[in-house]
Amino acid sequence: MKPISEACTKDAEAEQQVDPRRWYTLALLLLSTLLISLNNYMMQVALPLIQRSLNASFSEAQLIFSGYSLGLAIALILGGKLGDMYGRKRILFIGVLGFTLTSVIGGVTSNPTLLIIIRIFQGLSAAMIQPQVLSIIQSSFLPREKGLVFAIYGALIGVGFTLGLILGGFLVDWNLWGLSWRIVFLFNVPFGLLVLLFIPIVPNSRGSAKQSIDWTGTVLLILGLLMLLYPLSAGHQQGWPLWTWDCLILSILILLAFIAVQIWKQKQKSWPLIDLSIFKISSFSMGIVTVIVIYLSMFAFFFILNYYVQSGLQYDLESTSLVFLPLGSGFFVTSLLSSRMMKRWGRAVLQTGTLTMGVCNLLLIVTLYIDPKHMLSFYNVIVLLVYGLGLGMATTPLANMVFGEIPVSVAGTGSGLFTTFMYLANSLGVAFIGIVFTSMLGHTLSEASLEDYIKAFAVSVAASGLMAWVGCICISFLPKSSKRK
C-alpha cells in the first residue's frame, strides 16, 4: 500500500490532465447533489404531517428523519472506497438507481417501521452518490478552479435547503393528486431518471486499481455506528432502558476494535477500509472535528425550529416553509460569495460565520419571549436571514479547506469520511436536541401548552448556539494555510 505522500506526487504530475467536458459533468453532479439535498429538507418540513398521518410516535418520527442520515453515515466510507476501486461513474449509477427505487417504494408505504427501513436504504443509496460527487470534483478540476467549484457546490446546497423546505411545504399543502406527504418521495423519481439518462458523460475515474475491500472493518464500522445512533434516537422515549446503555457501551468497544483492525492492516501493508495516514494532514483532521461540531449545531437547530413552528405554533406547511425562506436565502448568498471571501480573509470567514450563528440563536430566544406567536415578524425574519448568512460562511468553505491537500487517488475515501462525519453529526444532533427538547417540554407534543413549547425551544436553541461557538474555537486550530490562493 502506497502512502498518501507518494500519491500527492503523482497527483501533481497529473494535474494538467483534466477532462474538457468537466463543466458539463459538474452540472450533472450538481443535479445529483440537489436530488439528495431536496429529499432531506422536503422530508424535514413534511415530518410532523407524516407523524400524524401514520400515527407514529415522536421517537419513530425522529428515526424516519434521521434514518436517512444513519444510512448515509454507516456507508459513506464504503461508498467512497467502492468508487476508488471500481470506478466512480459505476458506483454513482448504482447509487442514483437505488435512490430512485427507494423513493418509489417510500411513496406508497403506510407503515412507520417500514418507512424507517426505506429511509435507511435511501440513505445507503445516497452514500453511494455523495462520495463520488466530491471525489470526481476533486479529480476533474485544476486547483485554481476548485475554490469556485466548491463555492458553486455549497451554493447549490443552499438552493436545495431553501427550495426543499419551501417546495416541500407547498407541494404537501397543495395535496397534488391526493398524494399528501407522499409527493415528497415521488418528487425524486423524475430527477433520478434524468440523472441516469445522462450519466454516460461522467468520466470513469478511480483510485488505485490494486485496492480491496476490508470487509472485517466494514462490518465493525457499520455495526458500531448502528449501535451508537439507534439507542440515542429511541432511548429517551422508552425511558432509557438497560439495553440502550448496553448498546452504547458495546458500540464504543466495537468502534475501538475497528480502529485497531485498521492500524493492524496498515502495519501489514494490507488495504484497510480507511487509510489512517489521511488524518496526518492537519487541515483534514482538524477540519473533520470542525465539521462535526458545526453541523451538529446546524441540524439540531433546523430540526427543533421545524417542530416548534408546526407543533407549538400550529403553522401550516406553507407558513412553515416561509419561516425557513430567509434562513435559506442568507445561506445561498454567502455560499456563492464564499470563494472570494476566503481568498481575502481566510479562516476568519468561518469564525465570523460560527459567531454569527451563535449570536442569532440567542437573539431568537429574546424575540421569542417578546412575541412568541409570530415567527414571521420583521425581527425574526432578520435574525433568521443573518443566521443563514453566518451558516453559509461557516459551512461552504469547509469542503475546500478539508479537501485542498487530499490526493486524487484517495479522494473517494476522503470524501466518504467528510460526508460520514457530516451526516453522523446530523443523526447525533437530532438525537441530542430531541432529548433536550422533550425533557424540557415535560408533556407529549399534543398535550404541551405554548408556554411549554417556548421553554423547550429556548433551551434547545441555546444549546445549538453554544455548539456553534465551540465550532468557532475549533476553527482557530485550523492551519493558517487554509487561506486559499
Side-chain angles (χ1 to χ4, degrees):
M1 187 176 122
K2 295 180 181 179
I4 287 179
S5 58
E6 293 181 23
C8 289
T9 303
K10 289 192 173 183
D11 292 342
E13 295 173 355
E15 180 181 302
Q16 300 303 321
Q17 299 178 10
V18 292
D19 192 328
R21 299 183 302 173
R22 60 192 182 280
W23 295 103
Y24 298 106
T25 298
L26 177 63
L28 189 67
L29 295 175
L30 293 179
L31 182 58
S32 302
T33 302
L34 184 62
L35 177 68
I36 297 172
S37 184
L38 279 174
N39 173 81
N40 200 32
Y41 294 118
M42 288 174 71
M43 173 61 65
Q44 180 169 319
V45 76
L47 189 61
L49 177 61
I50 295 174
Q51 180 184 351
R52 293 192 297 269
S53 175
L54 301 182
N55 294 317
S57 66
F58 184 71
S59 177
E60 288 175 320
Q62 280 183 287
L63 288 171
I64 289 172
F65 179 70
S66 62
Y68 177 75
S69 299
L70 175 60
L72 270 165
I74 65 176
L76 275 164
I77 295 174
L78 177 62
K81 194 76 169 182
L82 290 172
D84 284 342
M85 290 177 56
Y86 300 111
R88 290 148 190 164
K89 177 180 179 178
R90 180 181 301 173
I91 303 302
L92 178 64
F93 177 86
I94 293 172
V96 174
L97 179 62
F99 192 91
T100 305
L101 291 175
T102 52
S103 295
V104 173
I105 299 171
V108 298
T109 188
S110 297
N111 183 281
T113 303
L114 182 58
L115 192 59
I116 293 170
I117 295 172
I118 290 168
R119 285 283 288 168
I120 292 174
F121 275 95
Q122 196 172 43
L124 292 172
S125 299
M128 299 298 109
I129 300 173
Q130 193 73 8
Q132 317 320 323
V133 171
L134 290 172
S135 56
I136 292 172
I137 289 175
Q138 173 71 359
S139 61
S140 299
F141 289 88
L142 296 171
R144 64 176 180 271
E145 298 171 333
K146 289 177 184 177
L148 174 61
V149 172
F150 279 116
I152 296 172
Y153 173 82
L156 186 80
I157 293 177
V159 170
F161 168 76
T162 307
L163 186 61
L165 292 170
I166 295 173
L167 192 61
F170 277 83
L171 286 177
V172 173
D173 197 60
W174 290 339
N175 194 23
L176 297 176
W177 304 292
L179 292 172
S180 184
W181 57 267
R182 300 178 189 278
I183 193 69
V184 171
F185 284 94
L186 299 176
F187 184 82
N188 301 322
V189 177
F191 285 96
L193 294 175
L194 185 62
V195 173
L196 292 172
L197 179 64
F198 288 98
I199 220 166
I201 71 170
V202 176
N204 195 25
S205 63
R206 68 175 70 195
S208 173
K210 296 181 180 179
Q211 298 186 42
S212 62
I213 291 292
D214 170 19
W215 289 113
T216 302
T218 299
V219 171
L220 287 173
L221 180 63
I222 291 176
L223 186 60
L225 290 174
L226 277 173
M227 298 190 74
L228 171 67
L229 295 174
Y230 179 74
L232 287 176
S233 298
H236 179 72
Q237 292 296 313
Q238 300 181 24
W240 296 107
L242 183 61
W243 69 265
T244 58
W245 297 104
D246 291 339
C247 283
L248 290 172
I249 294 171
L250 191 57
S251 71
I252 295 173
L253 297 176
I254 292 173
L255 291 174
L256 288 174
F258 166 76
I259 294 173
V261 168
Q262 301 309 290
I263 294 173
W264 179 80
K265 281 185 171 288
Q266 206 153 348
K267 288 181 177 179
Q268 297 297 314
K269 299 190 182 301
S270 182
W271 291 103
L273 183 63
I274 300 175
D275 182 354
L276 296 179
S277 62
I278 197 172
F279 288 100
K280 294 180 180 179
I281 302 174
S282 57
S283 61
F284 183 83
S285 56
M286 198 63 224
I288 289 296
V289 174
T290 307
V291 164
I292 294 173
V293 177
I294 293 177
Y295 279 92
L296 192 75
S297 170
M298 180 189 79
F299 284 119
F301 178 63
F302 289 173
F303 182 79
I304 216 63
L305 177 61
N306 185 49
Y307 261 90
Y308 173 72
V309 170
Q310 289 199 51
S311 299
L313 301 183
Q314 300 294 311
Y315 277 27
D316 59 26
L317 290 175
E318 288 189 20
S319 298
T320 301
S321 298
L322 293 176
V323 169
F324 282 95
L325 176 59
L327 197 161
S329 300
F331 184 21
F332 172 74
V333 170
T334 46
S335 293
L336 200 58
L337 296 175
S338 64
S339 178
R340 292 184 179 181
M341 297 168 71
M342 285 295 293
K343 285 180 180 179
R344 185 167 183 178
W345 295 297
R347 68 182 184 187
V349 175
L350 286 87
Q351 290 175 308
T352 302
T354 49
L355 286 172
T356 301
M357 290 167 61
V359 169
C360 287
N361 282 143
L362 295 183
L363 289 176
L364 194 61
I365 296 173
V366 174
T367 60
L368 179 72
Y369 279 99
I370 294 174
D371 188 5
K373 297 183 179 180
H374 300 97
M375 282 301 298
L376 289 171
S377 67
F378 174 78
Y379 296 106
N380 283 334
V381 168
I382 295 299
V383 170
L384 291 172
L385 174 64
V386 176
Y387 179 93
L389 292 171
L391 183 62
M393 295 167 65
T395 57
T396 302
L398 271 178
N400 192 28
M401 294 179 70
V402 172
F403 287 110
E405 300 175 25
I406 299 298
V408 171
S409 58
V410 290
T413 301
S415 61
L417 282 166
F418 178 88
T419 43
T420 292
F421 283 107
M422 185 178 76
Y423 285 103
L424 184 61
N426 185 345
S427 296
L428 290 173
V430 170
F432 166 71
I433 214 67
I435 292 170
V436 173
F437 184 75
T438 53
S439 296
M440 297 305 301
L441 198 63
H443 304 278
T444 63
L445 295 177
S446 58
E447 295 175 347
S449 65
L450 178 59
E451 289 73 20
D452 295 325
Y453 273 101
I454 293 172
K455 179 182 67 174
F457 181 68
V459 174
S460 301
V461 170
S464 173
L466 180 61
M467 286 186 284
W469 286 340
V470 172
C472 182
I473 296 173
C474 293
I475 291 168
S476 66
F477 290 99
L478 287 172
K480 291 185 179 181
S481 60
S482 60
K483 186 176 178 178
R484 302 296 175 198
K485 295 180 180 180

